[in-house]
Amino acid sequence: MSAHPGSPLAGRYVLVDQIGAGGMGSVWRAWDLRNQCFVAAKLLTHTDSGMLLRFVREQSLRIQHPHVVAPSGWAAEDHLVVFTMDLVRGGSVHTLLGDHGALPLGYAMVVLDQTLQALAAVHEAGVVHRDVKPANLLLEATGTGRPHVRLGDFGVAALMDDVRLTMHPGAIGTEGYMAPEQRLGAPPSPQQDLYAVGIVGIQMLTGLGPRQQQGIPPGPLRDWLAWLTAERPEDRPESAVVALQALRALGVPAGTPWRHDPEPPEVFDQLTDVAPPAAAGAGSMPQPGGSGIAQFGTRPWSDTPSPGSGAPQHSDPPRAHAGGRSTLTLVAALLCFLGAIGLALAAVALLL
């Protein structure tokens, strides 16, 4: 399976350049002909039933929050399936740790604050992320200013009290960031995400990955991090909101005090600027339709910060809004385009 840069996909998205890859496929910078802007487009490149269902589950999430980057639309054309989301240009906390090493305490606290805001919205929508780690904490390109975190990659997220996409026992997540019960295959719970936040906090303060960490470093966050990374889930905070309130009680700094450091953390723009495709000007948008082409429910993104802008850090986490098309309907449509009758039967059986 291959993408076709330069040709509008489903009459709307022009793939420009590949900017990432993952277990479910590749991520591209794409030009949205309807909204006349660049977006990130995730292309499915594996069509087994479990992977397709996981892809559908991820795109079905509609969580609007300034610290969450979730799919905003999807489309299919012949053998290609794609969903789109905001294009975040500053890399990730993983990138920042690779560039800078251990982060100043105040900077790490701001990142943790924003991550917990995101998780409060995600959990309120009835979702457990299950893969919180530095690589999934995307960053807007804010330079040495206040960081702006966007929690992304919901490919292994689970809806609470819903069908499980993994039919065999085992762990779902990334080794080192999974809570003890998660490694044993326990049902998803918000406390598993909070455990991962604690591990990320230790990593930001020490610059060491989970395998190299030697316990919790001393300092103002020691007891708080020990709380999040407790062995038993019942000994962790009952929710992301409770963890966030306790963190703010420790004094999440305002402003950018790390700018006084000799080498302050700096979030660079990781993408080279490119011009919109030549054929993507106003009035040149191909009409949707024709054999093998379909275009589906995209909707404008609201409450989304522009690169470099900062969201208030000491306001209550905005409420989440979950919506979108029925997952079952979406599965049927995708399978129709893939032309896999056997796969369709398997997908329907999993969702019934």
Side-chain angles (χ1 to χ4, degrees):
M1 180 178 297
S2 61
H4 303 286
S7 301
L9 176 63
R12 177 163 183 181
Y13 302 110
V14 180
L15 303 181
V16 177
D17 56 348
Q18 186 173 340
I19 58 177
M24 289 196 300
S26 55
V27 182
W28 292 68
R29 173 166 36 187
W31 181 255
D32 184 342
L33 292 166
R34 177 185 296 176
N35 292 330
Q36 294 289 295
C37 65
F38 284 109
V39 296
K42 195 169 190 177
L43 271 68
L44 176 66
T45 56
H46 301 286
T47 56
D48 63 274
S49 59
M51 193 66 71
L52 179 61
L53 283 170
R54 189 163 290 134
F55 185 91
V56 171
R57 174 62 52 81
E58 179 172 0
Q59 81 77 39
S60 70
L61 298 174
R62 291 292 187 269
I63 301 172
Q64 293 187 342
H65 188 277
H67 294 299
V68 174
V69 54
S72 54
W74 69 280
E77 178 177 334
D78 295 327
H79 60 293
L80 291 175
V81 184
V82 61
F83 64 79
T84 60
M85 62 198 75
D86 292 347
L87 183 65
V88 183
R89 302 179 61 102
S92 66
V93 172
H94 175 80
T95 310
L96 182 61
L97 287 168
D99 291 341
H100 188 274
L103 301 174
L105 173 64
Y107 197 99
M109 292 181 75
V110 173
V111 171
L112 291 168
D113 182 294
Q114 295 179 9
T115 301
L116 288 170
Q117 288 186 55
L119 285 174
V122 169
H123 295 164
E124 184 183 357
V127 176
V128 179
H129 188 279
R130 295 204 294 181
D131 201 19
V132 176
K133 59 184 178 181
N136 288 339
L137 299 179
L138 308 182
L139 294 169
E140 301 286 4
T142 56
T144 59
R146 200 170 181 86
H148 193 101
V149 175
R150 305 288 299 277
L151 176 64
D153 197 344
F154 287 79
V156 298
L159 299 176
M160 301 178 200
D161 303 321
D162 199 359
V163 61
R164 296 192 65 180
L165 301 184
T166 303
M167 304 306 294
H168 56 81
I172 297 295
T174 299
E175 185 61 40
Y177 300 95
M178 290 186 289
E181 73 277 9
Q182 186 178 354
R183 291 197 300 270
L184 297 175
S189 73
Q191 282 69 33
Q192 295 165 9
D193 286 344
L194 298 182
Y195 180 93
V197 171
I199 298 297
V200 171
I202 297 172
Q203 186 169 353
M204 287 193 293
L205 293 176
T206 63
L208 300 174
R211 292 183 179 179
Q212 291 76 42
Q213 291 173 8
Q214 301 293 324
I216 302 172
L221 294 185
R222 183 181 181 87
D223 291 343
W224 185 84
L225 290 170
W227 188 27
L228 266 65
T229 56
E231 189 78 8
R232 302 190 309 167
E234 57 267 29
D235 293 333
R236 298 175 209 142
E238 63 183 72
S239 69
V241 172
V242 170
L244 178 59
Q245 292 171 342
L247 177 66
R248 289 178 174 177
L250 295 174
V252 177
T256 55
W258 49 83
R259 279 183 165 165
H260 300 294
D261 293 357
E263 294 185 9
E266 184 169 2
V267 182
F268 298 96
D269 191 332
Q270 302 291 326
L271 298 178
T272 303
D273 287 330
V274 296
S284 65
M285 175 175 145
Q287 294 298 314
S291 176
I293 297 178
Q295 189 168 334
F296 300 100
T298 58
R299 60 179 191 162
W301 190 261
S302 63
D303 297 325
T304 302
S306 60
S309 65
Q313 302 305 310
H314 296 279
S315 58
D316 291 333
R319 296 181 62 85
H321 302 279
R325 292 180 177 269
S326 162
T327 302
L328 181 60
T329 302
L330 190 51
V331 170
L334 289 174
L335 293 176
C336 180
F337 287 112
L338 293 173
I341 301 301
L343 185 58
L345 293 175
V348 171
L350 283 173
L351 289 174
L352 290 178

